[in-house]
Amino acid sequence: MESESSSSAASVSGSPAQTVTDLSRHMLEQDEDEDDDLEVFSKDATLTDASSFSASMPMSPASMINQYKLEEQDIKDVFITVDCPENHVTSIETFVTYRVITKTTRSEFDSSEYEVRRRYQDFLWLKGKLEEAHPTLIINPLPEKFVMKGMMERFNDGFIETRRKALHKFVNRIADHPILSFNEDFKVFLTAQAWELASHKKQGPGLLSRMGETVRAVAASVRGVQNRPEEFTAMNDYVETFGQKMGMLDKIAQRIVKEQKEYLEGMKECGPVYTLWSGSEDQLVEPLKAIAGCIDNCCKVTEEQVAGLSENQVPILHEYVLCAETLKAVLRRRDNIQAEYESKVDALANKKADKENLKHTDLSFVFGGFLGKNTEEAKQQKEQRLDCEMKELKEEIGRLEDKVECANNTLKVDWERWKRNMQSDVKSAFVDMADTNMNYYKKCLAIWESFLTSQKTDVHLEKDTDS
């Protein structure tokens, strides 16, 4: 199999050795460009050492070329917009649909522009199909389903807009992905009308097939992995720490927003007090009204800051809390693939041991001899059956070995891609947060400075009048 891969690679781009050398040089250059990546949240080395995972597992030149070409395909040719949410009320349910507009220059699309409407469960279906087709690719999470305790706010404009932004980001992440964007189900999602999509959904695997996959996944997870490569153990550790830190930041950010809203409500109550007070203090009318005006202006600035935190910073942090769970699921699926491979290897070893035991006295055959059976013939039949089962297991092991290698290589490449996107997103969120806070405090400072300046001017005018 490796010889076939090598010859394929050679036919695409020179000799395999030269191909591997060129690709290795390219990846090293990429690593050098990433030296200034963000140190995530702390000086914890486990979070800043994600790029240290070594590509120790074998990779054929052909697969390296394919991944290299896919990774390098950074020309955007699919543009998607999710907008215009609409409420729908039926006798059975109430739900929201979103308009999905797609513009593309790809030849596999019959048209250059499509417009469809999709509801949340359609996005959920798409995510499930992508995970089914590409179990070890990292698919960014969808916004969470609405929880029961907040059901009264389900169709609140703010909630719908927050979900719309998240869905817009979700489909554009897929459109930007060098592999996922070519998935057939993704194309159907973007182009099919509602009735066509419903028909396409029914064409999936049946209930028994899905149950079989679930049973195999559960069996693999229960059995566990015997020899997980160190790099994936390191990924597991990284994700665990990353999820904890993102969870802490998410809770802190939400608490800050809550406290800022409470502070805003307090200021809104405070301003009218100064206005009322000015009505009973003839000598302090202007200063008191000025303070009330400053508080009112600070309320407006604070509202802008709270909106910025709620709409920009908090969603990004929470997205990566969900993303940590997605990464854990991807790593579990990779482990399940390896566990299935290891179980077949163990089964083959047991079959070989059974065949070896045939050389020794077998009491079952001796007992069969009392019943008039030919023990030698029974031995030969069992040996033939074992040979047949061993042949099937060897074929299955070969297929699973390729599947494990493909899963490992795919995850390693997508891990680096995800890490770069994550660091860019988090860095951008922190820069925006710093910029938002600076602008907020500058505006508040300017408001109160204007008050002090006006009061100093009034004091000078009073002194001039007295003199």
Side-chain angles (χ1 to χ4, degrees), residues 12 21 34 40 58 79 93 101 117 152 192 227 231 255 264-265 277 283 301 311 314 345 357 381 386 395 405 430:
V12 173
T21 302
E34 294 170 9
V40 185
F79 302 86
E93 60 180 339
I101 298 176
R117 297 203 71 84
M152 294 301 294
N227 300 301
E231 56 195 314
R255 188 167 71 244
L264 176 60
E265 292 302 317
W277 187 10
Q283 301 300 319
V301 174
E311 296 173 7
V314 172
V345 172
N357 289 337
Q381 290 177 353
L386 286 172
E395 292 175 354
E405 181 181 355
F430 289 163

Short mmCIF file of all heavy atoms in Angstrom, two decimals, residues 12 21 34 40 58 79 93 101 117 152 192 227 231 255 264-265 277 283 301 311 314 345 357 381 386 395 405 430:
data_model
loop_
_atom_site.label_atom_id
_atom_site.label_comp_id
_atom_site.label_asym_id
_atom_site.label_seq_id
_atom_site.Cartn_x
_atom_site.Cartn_y
_atom_site.Cartn_z
N VAL A 12 2.60 12.74 -9.16
CA VAL A 12 2.04 14.07 -9.01
C VAL A 12 3.12 15.13 -8.99
O VAL A 12 3.03 16.17 -9.61
CB VAL A 12 1.22 14.15 -7.69
CG1 VAL A 12 0.78 15.58 -7.44
CG2 VAL A 12 0.02 13.23 -7.79
N THR A 21 10.70 16.19 1.44
CA THR A 21 11.66 17.23 1.82
C THR A 21 11.06 18.61 1.64
O THR A 21 11.15 19.48 2.52
CB THR A 21 12.94 17.10 0.96
OG1 THR A 21 13.47 15.80 1.15
CG2 THR A 21 13.95 18.16 1.38
N GLU A 34 4.93 31.17 13.33
CA GLU A 34 3.98 31.13 14.43
C GLU A 34 4.66 31.34 15.78
O GLU A 34 4.04 31.18 16.82
CB GLU A 34 3.24 29.80 14.44
CG GLU A 34 2.35 29.63 13.22
CD GLU A 34 1.81 28.23 13.11
OE1 GLU A 34 1.98 27.44 14.07
OE2 GLU A 34 1.22 27.90 12.08
N VAL A 40 -1.68 31.77 25.75
CA VAL A 40 -3.09 31.75 26.09
C VAL A 40 -3.30 31.81 27.59
O VAL A 40 -3.01 30.87 28.32
CB VAL A 40 -3.76 30.48 25.53
CG1 VAL A 40 -5.26 30.51 25.79
CG2 VAL A 40 -3.48 30.36 24.05
N PRO A 58 3.63 7.61 10.84
CA PRO A 58 3.95 7.58 9.42
C PRO A 58 2.89 8.26 8.59
O PRO A 58 1.72 8.20 8.88
CB PRO A 58 4.00 6.07 9.11
CG PRO A 58 3.15 5.44 10.17
CD PRO A 58 3.36 6.27 11.38
N PHE A 79 -19.17 32.60 -0.42
CA PHE A 79 -19.52 33.69 0.49
C PHE A 79 -20.95 33.47 0.99
O PHE A 79 -21.88 33.37 0.18
CB PHE A 79 -19.41 35.04 -0.21
CG PHE A 79 -18.04 35.33 -0.77
CD1 PHE A 79 -17.68 34.87 -2.03
CD2 PHE A 79 -17.11 36.02 -0.02
CE1 PHE A 79 -16.42 35.11 -2.55
CE2 PHE A 79 -15.84 36.27 -0.54
CZ PHE A 79 -15.50 35.82 -1.80
N GLU A 93 -46.07 24.05 16.49
CA GLU A 93 -44.87 24.64 17.10
C GLU A 93 -44.67 26.07 16.62
O GLU A 93 -45.29 26.53 15.65
CB GLU A 93 -43.64 23.80 16.74
CG GLU A 93 -43.38 23.71 15.26
CD GLU A 93 -42.16 22.89 14.91
OE1 GLU A 93 -41.29 22.72 15.79
OE2 GLU A 93 -42.07 22.44 13.76
N ILE A 101 -28.00 33.24 2.30
CA ILE A 101 -27.64 33.66 0.94
C ILE A 101 -26.23 33.17 0.64
O ILE A 101 -25.30 33.42 1.43
CB ILE A 101 -27.71 35.18 0.77
CG1 ILE A 101 -29.15 35.67 0.99
CG2 ILE A 101 -27.23 35.59 -0.61
CD1 ILE A 101 -29.29 37.17 0.95
N ARG A 117 -34.12 29.39 3.15
CA ARG A 117 -34.40 29.67 4.55
C ARG A 117 -34.15 28.39 5.35
O ARG A 117 -34.52 27.29 4.93
CB ARG A 117 -35.82 30.17 4.77
CG ARG A 117 -36.09 31.49 4.08
CD ARG A 117 -37.26 32.22 4.73
NE ARG A 117 -36.91 32.73 6.05
CZ ARG A 117 -36.29 33.90 6.28
NH1 ARG A 117 -35.95 34.68 5.27
NH2 ARG A 117 -36.02 34.28 7.52
N MET A 152 -39.04 31.70 28.24
CA MET A 152 -39.85 32.89 28.04
C MET A 152 -39.13 33.90 27.16
O MET A 152 -39.74 34.75 26.55
CB MET A 152 -40.19 33.53 29.40
CG MET A 152 -41.11 32.66 30.25
SD MET A 152 -42.69 32.30 29.43
CE MET A 152 -43.39 33.94 29.38
N ALA A 192 -30.57 23.64 -1.56
CA ALA A 192 -31.86 22.97 -1.68
C ALA A 192 -32.98 23.79 -1.03
O ALA A 192 -32.77 24.42 0.02
CB ALA A 192 -31.80 21.59 -1.05
N ASN A 227 -2.63 1.79 23.24
CA ASN A 227 -1.36 2.47 22.90
C ASN A 227 -1.64 3.78 22.16
O ASN A 227 -1.31 3.93 21.00
CB ASN A 227 -0.50 1.55 22.03
CG ASN A 227 -0.16 0.25 22.72
OD1 ASN A 227 0.46 0.24 23.78
ND2 ASN A 227 -0.57 -0.87 22.12
N GLU A 231 1.37 12.22 21.25
CA GLU A 231 0.93 13.55 20.80
C GLU A 231 -0.57 13.73 21.04
O GLU A 231 -1.03 14.84 21.35
CB GLU A 231 1.24 13.75 19.32
CG GLU A 231 0.67 12.69 18.41
CD GLU A 231 1.32 12.75 17.04
OE1 GLU A 231 1.45 13.85 16.50
OE2 GLU A 231 1.70 11.68 16.52
N ARG A 255 -20.07 37.58 34.61
CA ARG A 255 -20.27 38.28 35.89
C ARG A 255 -19.99 39.77 35.74
O ARG A 255 -20.70 40.61 36.32
CB ARG A 255 -19.37 37.67 36.97
CG ARG A 255 -19.67 38.23 38.36
CD ARG A 255 -19.01 37.42 39.47
NE ARG A 255 -17.57 37.61 39.49
CZ ARG A 255 -16.68 36.65 39.27
NH1 ARG A 255 -17.09 35.42 38.99
NH2 ARG A 255 -15.39 36.89 39.32
N LEU A 264 -25.26 50.19 35.83
CA LEU A 264 -26.02 51.05 34.93
C LEU A 264 -27.39 51.37 35.51
O LEU A 264 -27.84 52.53 35.47
CB LEU A 264 -26.16 50.37 33.57
CG LEU A 264 -27.01 51.09 32.51
CD1 LEU A 264 -26.43 52.45 32.20
CD2 LEU A 264 -27.10 50.24 31.24
N GLU A 265 -28.07 50.37 36.05
CA GLU A 265 -29.38 50.60 36.65
C GLU A 265 -29.25 51.55 37.85
O GLU A 265 -30.12 52.42 38.06
CB GLU A 265 -30.01 49.27 37.09
CG GLU A 265 -30.39 48.36 35.95
CD GLU A 265 -31.36 49.02 35.00
OE1 GLU A 265 -32.31 49.69 35.49
OE2 GLU A 265 -31.17 48.90 33.77
N TRP A 277 -33.25 67.29 43.48
CA TRP A 277 -32.55 68.07 44.51
C TRP A 277 -32.38 69.53 44.06
O TRP A 277 -32.48 70.47 44.85
CB TRP A 277 -31.22 67.42 44.80
CG TRP A 277 -30.45 68.01 45.95
CD1 TRP A 277 -30.90 68.94 46.86
CD2 TRP A 277 -29.11 67.71 46.30
NE1 TRP A 277 -29.92 69.24 47.76
CE2 TRP A 277 -28.79 68.49 47.44
CE3 TRP A 277 -28.14 66.87 45.79
CZ2 TRP A 277 -27.55 68.46 48.05
CZ3 TRP A 277 -26.90 66.83 46.41
CH2 TRP A 277 -26.60 67.61 47.52
N GLN A 283 -29.18 77.95 45.19
CA GLN A 283 -27.77 78.27 44.96
C GLN A 283 -27.01 77.14 44.25
O GLN A 283 -25.91 77.36 43.77
CB GLN A 283 -27.08 78.56 46.29
CG GLN A 283 -27.69 79.72 47.06
CD GLN A 283 -27.62 81.02 46.25
OE1 GLN A 283 -26.60 81.31 45.59
NE2 GLN A 283 -28.68 81.81 46.28
N VAL A 301 -22.98 55.99 27.67
CA VAL A 301 -21.69 55.38 27.37
C VAL A 301 -21.61 53.98 27.95
O VAL A 301 -21.09 53.05 27.31
CB VAL A 301 -20.54 56.27 27.90
CG1 VAL A 301 -19.20 55.57 27.71
CG2 VAL A 301 -20.53 57.63 27.20
N GLU A 311 -22.25 41.47 23.11
CA GLU A 311 -22.39 41.05 21.72
C GLU A 311 -21.08 40.58 21.10
O GLU A 311 -21.10 39.86 20.10
CB GLU A 311 -22.95 42.21 20.89
CG GLU A 311 -24.36 42.62 21.29
CD GLU A 311 -24.83 43.87 20.58
OE1 GLU A 311 -24.09 44.34 19.67
OE2 GLU A 311 -25.91 44.40 20.92
N VAL A 314 -18.16 38.32 25.13
CA VAL A 314 -18.73 37.15 25.80
C VAL A 314 -19.03 36.01 24.82
O VAL A 314 -18.69 34.85 25.11
CB VAL A 314 -19.99 37.55 26.60
CG1 VAL A 314 -20.70 36.31 27.14
CG2 VAL A 314 -19.61 38.47 27.75
N VAL A 345 -6.91 -6.62 16.00
CA VAL A 345 -5.58 -7.20 16.16
C VAL A 345 -5.59 -8.26 17.27
O VAL A 345 -5.02 -9.34 17.12
CB VAL A 345 -4.54 -6.10 16.48
CG1 VAL A 345 -3.19 -6.71 16.84
CG2 VAL A 345 -4.38 -5.16 15.28
N ASN A 357 -3.31 -24.32 19.10
CA ASN A 357 -3.78 -25.34 20.06
C ASN A 357 -4.29 -26.60 19.37
O ASN A 357 -4.41 -27.65 19.99
CB ASN A 357 -4.90 -24.75 20.93
CG ASN A 357 -4.37 -23.73 21.92
OD1 ASN A 357 -3.19 -23.75 22.26
ND2 ASN A 357 -5.24 -22.83 22.36
N GLN A 381 -11.49 -29.34 9.50
CA GLN A 381 -12.59 -28.40 9.29
C GLN A 381 -12.44 -27.16 10.18
O GLN A 381 -12.67 -26.04 9.73
CB GLN A 381 -13.92 -29.11 9.59
CG GLN A 381 -14.30 -30.15 8.56
CD GLN A 381 -15.58 -30.88 8.93
OE1 GLN A 381 -16.13 -30.70 10.03
NE2 GLN A 381 -16.07 -31.72 8.01
N LEU A 386 -10.84 -21.50 10.89
CA LEU A 386 -9.96 -20.50 11.49
C LEU A 386 -9.16 -19.74 10.44
O LEU A 386 -8.98 -18.52 10.53
CB LEU A 386 -9.01 -21.17 12.49
CG LEU A 386 -9.61 -21.62 13.81
CD1 LEU A 386 -8.61 -22.44 14.62
CD2 LEU A 386 -10.08 -20.41 14.62
N GLU A 395 -7.73 -8.73 6.40
CA GLU A 395 -8.24 -7.72 5.47
C GLU A 395 -8.85 -6.54 6.24
O GLU A 395 -8.64 -5.38 5.88
CB GLU A 395 -9.27 -8.35 4.54
CG GLU A 395 -8.69 -9.36 3.57
CD GLU A 395 -9.76 -10.05 2.73
OE1 GLU A 395 -10.97 -9.80 3.01
OE2 GLU A 395 -9.41 -10.83 1.83
N GLU A 405 -4.47 5.68 10.31
CA GLU A 405 -3.46 6.61 9.80
C GLU A 405 -4.10 7.86 9.23
O GLU A 405 -3.64 8.99 9.49
CB GLU A 405 -2.61 5.92 8.73
CG GLU A 405 -1.52 6.82 8.18
CD GLU A 405 -0.69 6.14 7.09
OE1 GLU A 405 -0.93 4.94 6.84
OE2 GLU A 405 0.16 6.82 6.50
N PHE A 430 -9.42 40.03 22.93
CA PHE A 430 -8.77 40.75 24.01
C PHE A 430 -8.39 42.18 23.58
O PHE A 430 -8.50 43.12 24.37
CB PHE A 430 -7.53 39.99 24.47
CG PHE A 430 -7.84 38.73 25.22
CD1 PHE A 430 -6.88 37.76 25.41
CD2 PHE A 430 -9.10 38.51 25.74
CE1 PHE A 430 -7.16 36.59 26.11
CE2 PHE A 430 -9.41 37.35 26.43
CZ PHE A 430 -8.43 36.39 26.61
#
